[in-house]
Amino acid sequence: MIALVVVLAVGLAAFTYLWLERLGRRAVVPLACRAIAWSALGLLLLNVGCPVAAPIRRPLVLLDGSLSLTAPGGRWREAHDSAARWGDVRLFGDERGQGSAGDTLPNRGRSLLGPALTAAAAAGRPVVVVSDGEIGDAAELPPDLLAGAAIRLFPRAPASDVAITALTGPARVTRGDSLTLEAEVRGSGDAVPESVTVAVHAGDARLARRTVPLGAAREARVELRVGTAALAPGDHLLRVALAGHRDAEPRTDSRLHLVTVVATPGIVLLAGSADWDTRFLYRALKDVAQLPLRGFERLERNRWRAMESLAPAAEDAVRRAARGADLLILKGGVGAFAAGSRARGIWRWPSGETGTPPVPGDWYLAASAASPLADAFAGVPLDSFPPAIQIAPARSPDPDWVALTGQMGRRGPRVPAVFGRSAGRIREVDVRADGLWRWAFRGGSSEESYRAWVSATVSWLLAGADSARGVARPVRAVVANGRPMVFEWTGAGAPQPTAITWTNDRASPGEPVRATLPRATPRADTLRFDGFGHASVRLPVGEYRYQLAAGGSGMAAVEAYSAELLPGAVTLTPHGARRLAEASRRSARDWPWLFALCIVGLAGEWLARRRMGLR
């Protein structure tokens, strides 16, 4: 094609000078200049191209930066050194995305390859994935995306380990009550003991200890009961650890649990008279609320009894519990006990003692879509549930929202049955319907809806600002190694950036104190909340106290344990990059000298013609 363009340009130039203008030998110089200019111009117009060797680009190496490569048998150093030889290294693993070339520590608490691989594929460079193969999102990776990268694995060698893989327990307890913690112990490898001893510690004091057999399955669940009489009111970070056991991975031998010991219960239920609504509500609260619960009912005139044991309770004790509760539930004529209460949430359940007698009948309830409790009734056929037996008309100020309305006999006007309001820092919910216990008694979907309603109501009532915690609080007070500490906004109005100061109490067992945050050295930070009201902070392993600039403080911890330290299944298969690189081509318009040659040819022809006296 190039030769054809050149021959055609030379032929046209010769035709114009030798045939049309008949200049003879004098036209050699302008003829050559015109042939050169027209050849360059023709190549540019046709934009001819030719294959060229593809440029050799340095591969982009995605190196697994999760904690699993530092576990016993992990090959982090070998994988890191090999990745540095193969290309430009970027760490992957969690929501932080691809790390820079300066990242050298495998400190990520997850093994997610998808986001990093997608970003690397868009760079147009060869991609190499270096990992131990234990990828959490391998099943979600598109096959073509995975096939376009070379996979090179450094699987960890088998190692024996006994780990506490799960720990659950209440977040708040009343002082003097027993605290029950449930731990799951699991062994892996060959050298697993037949039994292990699990102990609970608060600081240097041991609170409980129990030995459990692992059995043939090499796993067990252990329940530990801890007395709280010796714990002062406030936050306590309990450590559940394997006693007298040592293995290659000490970071999985202990777990942390933060519990708040309060002098008075978190939820107090006062019932002016014993009825079915009270009993079913108390049972549902025990199941769905992770808070200390106290219930008192008046079975006789001016005589109170504990709902748990029916033991007599002094009126002064009932008043003290009501004053110190976070959530106060008043059923029947017990409104006087709310005087002086510091509760953030008040759940009123009047039964005609306000002067307006309830209206009996079959009241069928329907949910409102515009309420904080709407999710509890989503997709639920409330009209088929047992109706309420009576509703007390509301004489109180207009509510902020209505969750349930009632209609007698499915005819007539609807009246508010459950509604709520916010009054400063206090949130209130009123229930004007009686007989909702029949939802729970019936079982099935109606029972689940009843429990969901109780759970949603408790959550909303306790979501107001806590003066002790401030305008933000951790979603989880204890997070695993490599995971962020997430705060949620609980203040009034839209979330605002909030200054926070961290003080490191001490490092957790199994992890040394980081030089980046020595003990008792304050660290200033700012919580910047997203559209969902969440803000994330990443901290080294350790136990911390935080102080919000807007008021409020608390305790939090990053434990040495991580699920990445446990042996996992290898979900990647090593292979080369199966996608062949396309042959590169270069077109005429990519050559700048061709434009210059065209201009030089035209200019040379013009000068030659001027010297010959031609136009």
Side-chain angles (χ1 to χ4, degrees):
M1 177 63 71
I2 297 177
L4 180 61
V5 171
V6 173
V7 170
L8 185 60
V10 172
L12 290 175
F15 175 76
T16 56
Y17 276 102
L18 300 180
W19 178 259
L20 295 179
E21 297 187 9
R22 298 183 181 276
L23 297 178
R25 293 183 178 181
R26 293 189 306 156
V28 172
V29 174
L31 185 152
C33 290
R34 177 174 289 189
I36 292 173
W38 282 7
S39 296
L41 186 60
L43 294 175
L44 291 173
L45 290 175
L46 295 177
N47 195 28
V48 296
C50 61
V52 296
I56 300 176
R57 307 186 66 183
R58 186 169 171 81
L60 186 61
V61 181
L62 302 181
L63 176 59
D64 193 344
S66 61
L67 288 164
S68 61
L69 273 83
T70 66
R75 302 161 65 184
W76 164 251
R77 179 52 55 190
E78 184 180 353
H80 179 271
D81 293 344
S82 299
R85 291 194 306 269
W86 293 334
D88 297 331
V89 178
R90 299 292 186 270
L91 295 187
F92 72 89
D94 56 18
E95 299 86 349
R96 284 173 281 185
Q98 292 181 212
S100 65
D103 289 342
T104 57
L105 294 177
N107 55 8
R108 308 199 176 200
R110 301 184 70 183
S111 295
L112 301 180
L113 176 59
L117 187 57
T118 302
R125 299 169 58 180
V127 179
V128 179
V129 177
V130 179
S131 171
D132 57 5
E134 301 175 13
I135 301 300
D137 61 346
E140 305 169 9
L141 297 176
D144 57 338
L145 187 63
L146 197 59
I151 307 296
R152 300 176 183 175
L153 300 185
F154 293 83
R156 54 172 148 175
S160 298
D161 182 40
V162 178
I164 301 177
T165 57
L167 178 64
T168 58
R172 295 167 68 97
V173 295
T174 306
R175 189 180 186 185
D177 288 353
S178 61
L179 166 66
T180 302
L181 299 175
E182 291 188 2
E184 181 179 294
V185 183
R186 185 178 302 170
S188 60
D190 298 330
V192 176
E194 295 182 357
S195 62
V196 293
T197 301
V198 183
V200 182
H201 300 267
D204 297 330
R206 190 178 69 192
L207 304 181
R209 177 187 177 102
R210 185 175 177 185
T211 301
V212 293
L214 294 181
R218 297 191 295 183
E219 63 179 27
R221 294 190 66 87
V222 55
E223 187 176 277
L224 300 162
R225 290 187 176 273
V226 178
T228 60
L231 299 178
D235 293 336
H236 295 271
L237 198 58
L238 305 182
R239 180 169 58 92
V240 178
L242 301 178
H245 175 79
R246 292 185 179 181
D247 52 32
E249 182 51 88
R251 290 176 291 182
T252 62
D253 294 348
S254 65
R255 301 295 302 272
L256 300 177
H257 180 76
L258 183 66
V259 62
T260 302
V261 179
V262 294
T264 54
I267 301 178
V268 174
L269 168 60
L270 303 184
S273 60
D275 58 14
W276 288 110
D277 272 319
T278 303
R279 302 304 299 179
F280 276 89
L281 176 61
Y282 181 79
R283 184 183 303 173
L285 287 169
K286 288 186 64 176
D287 293 338
V288 304
Q290 292 293 324
L291 288 173
L293 173 64
R294 283 287 183 272
F296 301 96
E297 56 187 357
R298 192 162 47 192
L299 298 180
E300 305 151 9
R301 183 179 180 84
N302 295 329
R303 283 192 169 183
W304 291 89
R305 293 183 178 271
M307 296 181 66
E308 183 71 24
S309 61
L310 295 182
E315 187 171 320
D316 289 342
V318 176
R319 291 185 182 275
R320 285 196 303 270
R323 285 195 298 266
D326 283 332
L327 171 58
L328 182 58
I329 304 174
L330 306 174
K331 179 70 170 72
V334 291
F337 284 85
S341 173
R342 300 186 297 271
R344 289 183 285 143
I346 297 179
W347 190 349
R348 291 187 173 89
W349 203 314
S351 300
E353 67 281 350
T354 57
T356 304
V359 179
D362 289 337
W363 291 89
Y364 290 88
L365 303 181
S368 171
S371 80
L373 313 185
D375 289 344
F377 306 110
V380 175
L382 292 183
D383 192 65
S384 65
F385 291 177
I389 60 176
Q390 62 181 16
I391 288 183
R395 300 285 185 182
S396 55
D398 293 337
D400 295 341
W401 49 266
V402 176
L404 294 176
T405 58
Q407 187 180 37
M408 182 182 290
R410 296 192 176 95
R411 291 186 295 272
R414 292 195 171 275
V415 299
V418 177
F419 51 87
R421 67 178 62 86
S422 297
R425 74 172 189 89
I426 300 176
R427 294 185 172 188
E428 301 179 358
V429 169
D430 277 28
V431 178
R432 296 287 173 159
D434 285 335
L436 298 184
W437 64 270
R438 297 196 292 176
W439 289 12
F441 182 78
R442 183 179 181 180
S445 61
S446 62
E447 181 184 15
E448 294 301 321
S449 296
Y450 181 84
R451 291 163 60 90
W453 167 61
V454 172
S455 177
T457 304
V458 171
S459 297
W460 184 82
L461 286 169
L462 292 177
D466 187 345
S467 59
R469 301 300 181 191
V471 296
R473 62 186 177 194
V475 176
R476 295 186 61 185
V478 178
V479 297
N481 190 359
R483 302 300 298 145
M485 181 77 63
V486 179
F487 280 76
E488 63 178 354
W489 177 265
T490 58
Q496 301 292 331
T498 303
I500 186 172
T501 302
W502 298 91
T503 303
N504 191 12
D505 281 359
R506 62 178 180 176
S508 295
E511 187 79 5
V513 177
R514 296 290 188 189
T516 56
L517 193 59
R519 178 174 179 174
T521 300
R523 162 183 163 173
D525 207 339
T526 301
L527 300 178
R528 302 187 184 278
F529 297 90
D530 57 19
F532 299 98
H534 291 165
S536 299
V537 179
R538 294 188 180 274
L539 299 169
V541 170
E543 303 172 9
Y544 301 90
R545 292 191 179 274
Y546 66 86
Q547 178 72 46
L548 298 176
S553 60
M555 194 173 185
V558 180
E559 57 184 351
Y561 171 86
S562 171
E564 287 291 320
L565 302 175
L566 304 176
V570 176
T571 55
L572 288 184
T573 302
H575 60 74
R578 299 170 188 168
R579 183 181 303 164
L580 297 177
E582 297 181 358
S584 298
R585 297 184 62 85
R586 192 166 188 181
S587 62
R589 295 174 187 173
D590 293 330
W591 297 327
W593 59 267
L594 205 56
F595 291 90
L597 188 62
C598 180
I599 296 173
V600 170
L602 293 175
E605 182 188 8
W606 178 79
L607 287 175
R609 290 179 67 87
R610 293 289 292 179
R611 284 182 173 274
M612 295 171 61
L614 301 175
R615 300 179 63 180

